[in-house]
Amino acid sequence: MKTYYNPDDLKNFGKIGEFQKPLADKFFDYYGEVFAEGALTAREKSLIALAVAHTIQCPYCIDAYTTDTMEKGCDEEQMMEAVHVASAIRAGASLVHATQMMNKVKEISM
Amino acid sequence: MKSLKAQDHPLSSSETEIHYLERDMPNFSGDRFASELKKINLFPLKPTQIEVLQINLGKMCNQVCLHCHVDAGPDRKEIMLRETMQQCLEVLKNNSITSIDLTGGAPEMNPDFRWFVEAIRAIDSEVTIIVRCNLTIILANPKYYDLPLFFKKHKIEVASSLPYFTAMKTDSQRGDGVFEKSIKALKLLNEQGYGIEGTGLVLNLVYNPSGAFMPAAQAGLEAEFKKRLADKFDISFNSLFAITNLPISRFLEYLIRSGNYEGYMEKLIDSFNPTAAAGVMCRNTISVGWDGYLYDCDFNQMLELKVTSQDSQHLKDWNQQSLIKRNIIVKNHCFGCTAGAGSSCGGVTA
């Protein structure tokens, strides 16, 4: 069955330079530097990436950062907590807009 | 759970395993490891010296771990006899061996384990003796309860597998209840002074991934294990060795059954590290099988690939000159020892 997403395409991510090399090189340099050990550990960055991957709902990123967090020594509980952080922010982002709804209700109600 | 051998599983045959490892796959050839070594002028791979004798005392074990490259378990009856141990002692007497690494199965289940350790110590009071203790054996039967004391008496280094500091991940790889028993055993070792600073009694833990992925960086993982085990269980240890799972025996069976074989091999190949290749453990180790045959490493032993020195394939024919000149046998499973920071029984190599 054909689908828009093919797991094997993830392996070809590095080949995007075939169509535009200078920009791809800049991106991968930047990407590599972002995920290196810094003020945050590579492990912390990987957990953030896993959470963001769920927020943007990118299947490639979810596959990649599930493996990466495990290879950074995280366990399932830590990984699921990271996804809950992303989910809580998403839910909170919706719910905080309820204040606007409440304001409007009050504005137009007797 | 039964061993692959008891199940009469096709992958209990080393011939089938080698056939699988040597198959050309869409993204890599069956002889890829040798070609990587050729690129860095390391082929044929040669020993640097022979310092470590890693001795398999038998395939019998009280556990049946899902990833075990030995296919060990309670249904395996192959164990080293005292006569073969005597031959190991002769090698120790006549050569410059600095470390004896006792492995299995559960080496302590060999009825001559204690006799052998005492005999080694009688010959050499300084040689490092390592026992690869699965921890749960200490609690498996009253006759093993005093093992920590025995280890201490003979200054044995203890190296023990603990895949994680939680029950879920440990038990998923090593069996139900293994984590809880391992924690109890670690406490007993700590009580004897093992892993406690200043005692000189070494307790190292071994981490290997519970699945088709690479191990985390050793230093960070060690810090995390130390903190978690100390905070939650008041347990101390010396070092943590991060080991990569090699595609052999039960782990190979798991990789194939779960559809992860190709992806895992590609990952190992992509992570090939020339520095790790130069430092692989087979260059200073001889692995001894339960029946006295000699191998380049524990993994080649399980694949039944005896050393290439035709005149020195068994302990009784030990020929140091011949062994040091031999070509080490390499196949695609060797990528497990050269990926990333490298992997050996003593952890990372690069």
Side-chain angles (χ1 to χ4, degrees), chain A residues 11 43 67-68 70-79, chain B residues 27 164 166 168-169 213-216 221 224 228 266-267:
Chain A
K11 289 179 210 158
R43 187 174 182 277
T67 306
D68 194 64
M70 293 184 87
E71 289 182 342
K72 296 281 189 299
C74 301
D75 68 9
E76 290 85 339
E77 201 179 353
Q78 294 165 336
M79 291 158 67
Chain B
N27 291 321
Y164 212 65
T166 61
M168 188 168 87
K169 277 181 107 69
F213 55 96
M214 298 269 288
L221 205 56
E224 181 84 2
R228 296 296 191 107
E266 283 171 16
K267 179 159 276 198

PDB file of all heavy atoms in Angstrom, chain A residues 11 43 67-68 70-79, chain B residues 27 164 166 168-169 213-216 221 224 228 266-267:
ATOM      1  N   LYS A  11      16.246   7.546   6.187  1.00  0.00           N
ATOM      2  CA  LYS A  11      17.668   7.306   5.925  1.00  0.00           C
ATOM      3  C   LYS A  11      18.204   8.259   4.858  1.00  0.00           C
ATOM      4  O   LYS A  11      19.398   8.483   4.758  1.00  0.00           O
ATOM      5  CB  LYS A  11      17.868   5.868   5.412  1.00  0.00           C
ATOM      6  CG  LYS A  11      17.667   4.810   6.448  1.00  0.00           C
ATOM      7  CD  LYS A  11      17.886   3.445   5.776  1.00  0.00           C
ATOM      8  CE  LYS A  11      17.040   2.389   6.444  1.00  0.00           C
ATOM      9  NZ  LYS A  11      16.787   1.232   5.609  1.00  0.00           N
ATOM     10  N   ARG A  43      21.549  14.386  26.193  1.00  0.00           N
ATOM     11  CA  ARG A  43      20.402  13.585  26.629  1.00  0.00           C
ATOM     12  C   ARG A  43      19.170  14.478  26.853  1.00  0.00           C
ATOM     13  O   ARG A  43      18.057  14.142  26.423  1.00  0.00           O
ATOM     14  CB  ARG A  43      20.796  12.889  27.927  1.00  0.00           C
ATOM     15  CG  ARG A  43      19.851  11.892  28.468  1.00  0.00           C
ATOM     16  CD  ARG A  43      20.537  11.222  29.671  1.00  0.00           C
ATOM     17  NE  ARG A  43      19.722  10.190  30.246  1.00  0.00           N
ATOM     18  CZ  ARG A  43      18.759  10.424  31.119  1.00  0.00           C
ATOM     19  NH1 ARG A  43      18.493  11.650  31.495  1.00  0.00           N
ATOM     20  NH2 ARG A  43      18.048   9.424  31.596  1.00  0.00           N
ATOM     21  N   THR A  67      14.421   6.363  19.144  1.00  0.00           N
ATOM     22  CA  THR A  67      15.684   5.601  19.169  1.00  0.00           C
ATOM     23  C   THR A  67      16.768   6.402  19.871  1.00  0.00           C
ATOM     24  O   THR A  67      17.501   5.877  20.722  1.00  0.00           O
ATOM     25  CB  THR A  67      16.125   5.293  17.727  1.00  0.00           C
ATOM     26  OG1 THR A  67      15.052   4.646  17.057  1.00  0.00           O
ATOM     27  CG2 THR A  67      17.344   4.379  17.703  1.00  0.00           C
ATOM     28  N   ASP A  68      16.858   7.686  19.518  1.00  0.00           N
ATOM     29  CA  ASP A  68      17.946   8.507  20.071  1.00  0.00           C
ATOM     30  C   ASP A  68      17.860   8.634  21.595  1.00  0.00           C
ATOM     31  O   ASP A  68      18.870   8.517  22.283  1.00  0.00           O
ATOM     32  CB  ASP A  68      17.934   9.894  19.426  1.00  0.00           C
ATOM     33  CG  ASP A  68      19.217  10.653  19.702  1.00  0.00           C
ATOM     34  OD1 ASP A  68      20.275  10.187  19.244  1.00  0.00           O
ATOM     35  OD2 ASP A  68      19.171  11.678  20.403  1.00  0.00           O
ATOM     36  N   MET A  70      16.530   6.529  23.641  1.00  0.00           N
ATOM     37  CA  MET A  70      16.914   5.231  24.216  1.00  0.00           C
ATOM     38  C   MET A  70      18.427   5.054  24.159  1.00  0.00           C
ATOM     39  O   MET A  70      19.044   4.538  25.088  1.00  0.00           O
ATOM     40  CB  MET A  70      16.194   4.078  23.512  1.00  0.00           C
ATOM     41  CG  MET A  70      14.700   4.114  23.782  1.00  0.00           C
ATOM     42  SD  MET A  70      13.818   2.729  23.066  1.00  0.00           S
ATOM     43  CE  MET A  70      13.973   1.522  24.373  1.00  0.00           C
ATOM     44  N   GLU A  71      19.010   5.513  23.079  1.00  0.00           N
ATOM     45  CA  GLU A  71      20.481   5.408  22.957  1.00  0.00           C
ATOM     46  C   GLU A  71      21.199   6.412  23.855  1.00  0.00           C
ATOM     47  O   GLU A  71      22.408   6.336  24.019  1.00  0.00           O
ATOM     48  CB  GLU A  71      20.897   5.573  21.496  1.00  0.00           C
ATOM     49  CG  GLU A  71      20.475   4.354  20.680  1.00  0.00           C
ATOM     50  CD  GLU A  71      20.895   4.412  19.225  1.00  0.00           C
ATOM     51  OE1 GLU A  71      21.212   5.503  18.734  1.00  0.00           O
ATOM     52  OE2 GLU A  71      20.884   3.344  18.584  1.00  0.00           O
ATOM     53  N   LYS A  72      20.445   7.362  24.396  1.00  0.00           N
ATOM     54  CA  LYS A  72      21.046   8.284  25.358  1.00  0.00           C
ATOM     55  C   LYS A  72      20.791   7.793  26.786  1.00  0.00           C
ATOM     56  O   LYS A  72      21.064   8.501  27.751  1.00  0.00           O
ATOM     57  CB  LYS A  72      20.454   9.690  25.181  1.00  0.00           C
ATOM     58  CG  LYS A  72      20.746  10.335  23.830  1.00  0.00           C
ATOM     59  CD  LYS A  72      22.141  10.911  23.773  1.00  0.00           C
ATOM     60  CE  LYS A  72      22.407  11.736  22.536  1.00  0.00           C
ATOM     61  NZ  LYS A  72      22.300  11.061  21.254  1.00  0.00           N
ATOM     62  N   GLY A  73      20.213   6.604  26.915  1.00  0.00           N
ATOM     63  CA  GLY A  73      20.039   6.008  28.241  1.00  0.00           C
ATOM     64  C   GLY A  73      18.724   6.349  28.925  1.00  0.00           C
ATOM     65  O   GLY A  73      18.550   6.088  30.118  1.00  0.00           O
ATOM     66  N   CYS A  74      17.766   6.947  28.203  1.00  0.00           N
ATOM     67  CA  CYS A  74      16.465   7.263  28.818  1.00  0.00           C
ATOM     68  C   CYS A  74      15.605   6.000  28.856  1.00  0.00           C
ATOM     69  O   CYS A  74      15.771   5.101  28.029  1.00  0.00           O
ATOM     70  CB  CYS A  74      15.725   8.308  27.992  1.00  0.00           C
ATOM     71  SG  CYS A  74      16.646   9.844  27.826  1.00  0.00           S
ATOM     72  N   ASP A  75      14.683   5.949  29.789  1.00  0.00           N
ATOM     73  CA  ASP A  75      13.762   4.814  29.795  1.00  0.00           C
ATOM     74  C   ASP A  75      12.356   5.273  29.386  1.00  0.00           C
ATOM     75  O   ASP A  75      12.108   6.472  29.186  1.00  0.00           O
ATOM     76  CB  ASP A  75      13.771   4.076  31.137  1.00  0.00           C
ATOM     77  CG  ASP A  75      13.194   4.887  32.276  1.00  0.00           C
ATOM     78  OD1 ASP A  75      12.620   5.971  32.019  1.00  0.00           O
ATOM     79  OD2 ASP A  75      13.307   4.449  33.428  1.00  0.00           O
ATOM     80  N   GLU A  76      11.460   4.297  29.276  1.00  0.00           N
ATOM     81  CA  GLU A  76      10.120   4.578  28.753  1.00  0.00           C
ATOM     82  C   GLU A  76       9.370   5.606  29.601  1.00  0.00           C
ATOM     83  O   GLU A  76       8.638   6.440  29.078  1.00  0.00           O
ATOM     84  CB  GLU A  76       9.305   3.280  28.677  1.00  0.00           C
ATOM     85  CG  GLU A  76       9.760   2.295  27.611  1.00  0.00           C
ATOM     86  CD  GLU A  76      10.879   1.380  28.044  1.00  0.00           C
ATOM     87  OE1 GLU A  76      11.609   1.723  29.020  1.00  0.00           O
ATOM     88  OE2 GLU A  76      11.058   0.314  27.419  1.00  0.00           O
ATOM     89  N   GLU A  77       9.572   5.539  30.904  1.00  0.00           N
ATOM     90  CA  GLU A  77       8.864   6.447  31.809  1.00  0.00           C
ATOM     91  C   GLU A  77       9.292   7.898  31.549  1.00  0.00           C
ATOM     92  O   GLU A  77       8.459   8.807  31.459  1.00  0.00           O
ATOM     93  CB  GLU A  77       9.188   6.038  33.243  1.00  0.00           C
ATOM     94  CG  GLU A  77       8.189   6.533  34.260  1.00  0.00           C
ATOM     95  CD  GLU A  77       8.562   6.067  35.665  1.00  0.00           C
ATOM     96  OE1 GLU A  77       9.496   5.269  35.830  1.00  0.00           O
ATOM     97  OE2 GLU A  77       7.897   6.539  36.601  1.00  0.00           O
ATOM     98  N   GLN A  78      10.593   8.089  31.408  1.00  0.00           N
ATOM     99  CA  GLN A  78      11.107   9.440  31.143  1.00  0.00           C
ATOM    100  C   GLN A  78      10.622   9.942  29.785  1.00  0.00           C
ATOM    101  O   GLN A  78      10.231  11.105  29.643  1.00  0.00           O
ATOM    102  CB  GLN A  78      12.639   9.424  31.163  1.00  0.00           C
ATOM    103  CG  GLN A  78      13.205   9.121  32.539  1.00  0.00           C
ATOM    104  CD  GLN A  78      14.678   8.756  32.505  1.00  0.00           C
ATOM    105  OE1 GLN A  78      15.201   8.293  31.491  1.00  0.00           O
ATOM    106  NE2 GLN A  78      15.363   8.963  33.616  1.00  0.00           N
ATOM    107  N   MET A  79      10.615   9.043  28.804  1.00  0.00           N
ATOM    108  CA  MET A  79      10.199   9.445  27.460  1.00  0.00           C
ATOM    109  C   MET A  79       8.720   9.830  27.451  1.00  0.00           C
ATOM    110  O   MET A  79       8.319  10.824  26.852  1.00  0.00           O
ATOM    111  CB  MET A  79      10.470   8.302  26.474  1.00  0.00           C
ATOM    112  CG  MET A  79      11.968   8.085  26.268  1.00  0.00           C
ATOM    113  SD  MET A  79      12.373   6.444  25.676  1.00  0.00           S
ATOM    114  CE  MET A  79      11.662   6.460  24.056  1.00  0.00           C
TER     115      MET A  79
ATOM    116  N   ASN B  27      21.758  -3.159   1.538  1.00  0.00           N
ATOM    117  CA  ASN B  27      22.634  -2.014   1.812  1.00  0.00           C
ATOM    118  C   ASN B  27      24.021  -2.365   2.340  1.00  0.00           C
ATOM    119  O   ASN B  27      24.779  -1.476   2.708  1.00  0.00           O
ATOM    120  CB  ASN B  27      21.943  -1.056   2.802  1.00  0.00           C
ATOM    121  CG  ASN B  27      20.755  -0.382   2.156  1.00  0.00           C
ATOM    122  OD1 ASN B  27      20.798  -0.012   0.980  1.00  0.00           O
ATOM    123  ND2 ASN B  27      19.676  -0.255   2.892  1.00  0.00           N
ATOM    124  N   TYR B 164      19.498  -1.900  33.586  1.00  0.00           N
ATOM    125  CA  TYR B 164      18.960  -0.577  33.914  1.00  0.00           C
ATOM    126  C   TYR B 164      18.713  -0.491  35.408  1.00  0.00           C
ATOM    127  O   TYR B 164      18.760  -1.492  36.116  1.00  0.00           O
ATOM    128  CB  TYR B 164      17.659  -0.308  33.129  1.00  0.00           C
ATOM    129  CG  TYR B 164      17.481   1.144  32.789  1.00  0.00           C
ATOM    130  CD1 TYR B 164      18.365   1.790  31.925  1.00  0.00           C
ATOM    131  CD2 TYR B 164      16.450   1.894  33.348  1.00  0.00           C
ATOM    132  CE1 TYR B 164      18.215   3.134  31.622  1.00  0.00           C
ATOM    133  CE2 TYR B 164      16.290   3.243  33.041  1.00  0.00           C
ATOM    134  CZ  TYR B 164      17.185   3.851  32.173  1.00  0.00           C
ATOM    135  OH  TYR B 164      17.046   5.175  31.878  1.00  0.00           O
ATOM    136  N   THR B 166      15.929   0.273  36.712  1.00  0.00           N
ATOM    137  CA  THR B 166      14.514   0.050  37.008  1.00  0.00           C
ATOM    138  C   THR B 166      14.166  -1.416  36.710  1.00  0.00           C
ATOM    139  O   THR B 166      14.823  -2.058  35.895  1.00  0.00           O
ATOM    140  CB  THR B 166      13.589   0.941  36.129  1.00  0.00           C
ATOM    141  OG1 THR B 166      13.820   0.610  34.752  1.00  0.00           O
ATOM    142  CG2 THR B 166      13.857   2.416  36.353  1.00  0.00           C
ATOM    143  N   MET B 168      11.424  -2.595  35.231  1.00  0.00           N
ATOM    144  CA  MET B 168      10.766  -2.876  33.953  1.00  0.00           C
ATOM    145  C   MET B 168      11.779  -3.256  32.865  1.00  0.00           C
ATOM    146  O   MET B 168      11.640  -4.277  32.190  1.00  0.00           O
ATOM    147  CB  MET B 168       9.929  -1.678  33.510  1.00  0.00           C
ATOM    148  CG  MET B 168       9.077  -1.962  32.295  1.00  0.00           C
ATOM    149  SD  MET B 168       7.863  -0.689  31.969  1.00  0.00           S
ATOM    150  CE  MET B 168       8.806   0.445  30.993  1.00  0.00           C
ATOM    151  N   LYS B 169      12.803  -2.429  32.717  1.00  0.00           N
ATOM    152  CA  LYS B 169      13.767  -2.683  31.641  1.00  0.00           C
ATOM    153  C   LYS B 169      14.674  -3.871  31.954  1.00  0.00           C
ATOM    154  O   LYS B 169      15.044  -4.615  31.056  1.00  0.00           O
ATOM    155  CB  LYS B 169      14.629  -1.434  31.404  1.00  0.00           C
ATOM    156  CG  LYS B 169      13.946  -0.435  30.503  1.00  0.00           C
ATOM    157  CD  LYS B 169      14.818   0.749  30.262  1.00  0.00           C
ATOM    158  CE  LYS B 169      15.394   0.792  28.880  1.00  0.00           C
ATOM    159  NZ  LYS B 169      14.398   1.056  27.848  1.00  0.00           N
ATOM    160  N   PHE B 213      19.018  -1.152  19.729  1.00  0.00           N
ATOM    161  CA  PHE B 213      19.584   0.192  19.671  1.00  0.00           C
ATOM    162  C   PHE B 213      20.944   0.198  20.352  1.00  0.00           C
ATOM    163  O   PHE B 213      21.294  -0.737  21.063  1.00  0.00           O
ATOM    164  CB  PHE B 213      18.629   1.230  20.291  1.00  0.00           C
ATOM    165  CG  PHE B 213      18.197   0.939  21.704  1.00  0.00           C
ATOM    166  CD1 PHE B 213      18.844   1.519  22.780  1.00  0.00           C
ATOM    167  CD2 PHE B 213      17.133   0.078  21.970  1.00  0.00           C
ATOM    168  CE1 PHE B 213      18.452   1.248  24.083  1.00  0.00           C
ATOM    169  CE2 PHE B 213      16.725  -0.194  23.266  1.00  0.00           C
ATOM    170  CZ  PHE B 213      17.398   0.404  24.326  1.00  0.00           C
ATOM    171  N   MET B 214      21.683   1.270  20.105  1.00  0.00           N
ATOM    172  CA  MET B 214      23.071   1.351  20.599  1.00  0.00           C
ATOM    173  C   MET B 214      23.087   1.792  22.065  1.00  0.00           C
ATOM    174  O   MET B 214      22.157   2.434  22.529  1.00  0.00           O
ATOM    175  CB  MET B 214      23.823   2.390  19.770  1.00  0.00           C
ATOM    176  CG  MET B 214      23.912   2.059  18.305  1.00  0.00           C
ATOM    177  SD  MET B 214      25.385   1.137  17.950  1.00  0.00           S
ATOM    178  CE  MET B 214      26.608   2.424  18.135  1.00  0.00           C
ATOM    179  N   PRO B 215      24.171   1.467  22.773  1.00  0.00           N
ATOM    180  CA  PRO B 215      24.241   1.921  24.164  1.00  0.00           C
ATOM    181  C   PRO B 215      24.514   3.418  24.260  1.00  0.00           C
ATOM    182  O   PRO B 215      25.074   4.015  23.352  1.00  0.00           O
ATOM    183  CB  PRO B 215      25.437   1.136  24.722  1.00  0.00           C
ATOM    184  CG  PRO B 215      26.258   0.776  23.553  1.00  0.00           C
ATOM    185  CD  PRO B 215      25.332   0.664  22.376  1.00  0.00           C
ATOM    186  N   ALA B 216      24.092   3.982  25.382  1.00  0.00           N
ATOM    187  CA  ALA B 216      24.364   5.395  25.642  1.00  0.00           C
ATOM    188  C   ALA B 216      25.845   5.584  25.944  1.00  0.00           C
ATOM    189  O   ALA B 216      26.564   4.613  26.194  1.00  0.00           O
ATOM    190  CB  ALA B 216      23.531   5.847  26.839  1.00  0.00           C
ATOM    191  N   LEU B 221      26.119   7.561  31.439  1.00  0.00           N
ATOM    192  CA  LEU B 221      25.290   6.468  31.947  1.00  0.00           C
ATOM    193  C   LEU B 221      25.782   6.023  33.329  1.00  0.00           C
ATOM    194  O   LEU B 221      24.979   5.755  34.233  1.00  0.00           O
ATOM    195  CB  LEU B 221      25.368   5.307  30.955  1.00  0.00           C
ATOM    196  CG  LEU B 221      24.213   4.322  30.912  1.00  0.00           C
ATOM    197  CD1 LEU B 221      22.896   5.018  30.654  1.00  0.00           C
ATOM    198  CD2 LEU B 221      24.461   3.289  29.818  1.00  0.00           C
ATOM    199  N   GLU B 224      24.575   8.441  35.896  1.00  0.00           N
ATOM    200  CA  GLU B 224      23.132   8.274  36.122  1.00  0.00           C
ATOM    201  C   GLU B 224      22.873   7.023  36.982  1.00  0.00           C
ATOM    202  O   GLU B 224      22.090   7.066  37.933  1.00  0.00           O
ATOM    203  CB  GLU B 224      22.444   8.132  34.754  1.00  0.00           C
ATOM    204  CG  GLU B 224      20.937   7.979  34.796  1.00  0.00           C
ATOM    205  CD  GLU B 224      20.199   9.316  34.891  1.00  0.00           C
ATOM    206  OE1 GLU B 224      20.866  10.355  34.893  1.00  0.00           O
ATOM    207  OE2 GLU B 224      18.959   9.289  34.982  1.00  0.00           O
ATOM    208  N   ARG B 228      21.143   7.038  40.700  1.00  0.00           N
ATOM    209  CA  ARG B 228      19.861   6.345  40.910  1.00  0.00           C
ATOM    210  C   ARG B 228      20.005   5.200  41.906  1.00  0.00           C
ATOM    211  O   ARG B 228      19.141   5.021  42.777  1.00  0.00           O
ATOM    212  CB  ARG B 228      19.325   5.800  39.593  1.00  0.00           C
ATOM    213  CG  ARG B 228      18.980   6.856  38.568  1.00  0.00           C
ATOM    214  CD  ARG B 228      17.847   7.752  39.029  1.00  0.00           C
ATOM    215  NE  ARG B 228      17.374   8.582  37.946  1.00  0.00           N
ATOM    216  CZ  ARG B 228      16.214   8.398  37.319  1.00  0.00           C
ATOM    217  NH1 ARG B 228      15.395   7.454  37.702  1.00  0.00           N
ATOM    218  NH2 ARG B 228      15.856   9.198  36.336  1.00  0.00           N
ATOM    219  N   GLU B 266      22.838  -1.890   9.822  1.00  0.00           N
ATOM    220  CA  GLU B 266      23.184  -0.634   9.141  1.00  0.00           C
ATOM    221  C   GLU B 266      23.668   0.403  10.141  1.00  0.00           C
ATOM    222  O   GLU B 266      24.603   1.157   9.885  1.00  0.00           O
ATOM    223  CB  GLU B 266      21.976  -0.101   8.357  1.00  0.00           C
ATOM    224  CG  GLU B 266      21.761  -0.847   7.053  1.00  0.00           C
ATOM    225  CD  GLU B 266      20.449  -0.475   6.373  1.00  0.00           C
ATOM    226  OE1 GLU B 266      19.852   0.557   6.744  1.00  0.00           O
ATOM    227  OE2 GLU B 266      20.010  -1.239   5.497  1.00  0.00           O
ATOM    228  N   LYS B 267      23.014   0.412  11.290  1.00  0.00           N
ATOM    229  CA  LYS B 267      23.419   1.367  12.330  1.00  0.00           C
ATOM    230  C   LYS B 267      24.839   1.058  12.817  1.00  0.00           C
ATOM    231  O   LYS B 267      25.662   1.955  12.980  1.00  0.00           O
ATOM    232  CB  LYS B 267      22.415   1.296  13.492  1.00  0.00           C
ATOM    233  CG  LYS B 267      22.763   2.221  14.627  1.00  0.00           C
ATOM    234  CD  LYS B 267      21.587   2.518  15.491  1.00  0.00           C
ATOM    235  CE  LYS B 267      20.781   3.643  14.908  1.00  0.00           C
ATOM    236  NZ  LYS B 267      19.887   4.278  15.834  1.00  0.00           N
TER     237      LYS B 267
END
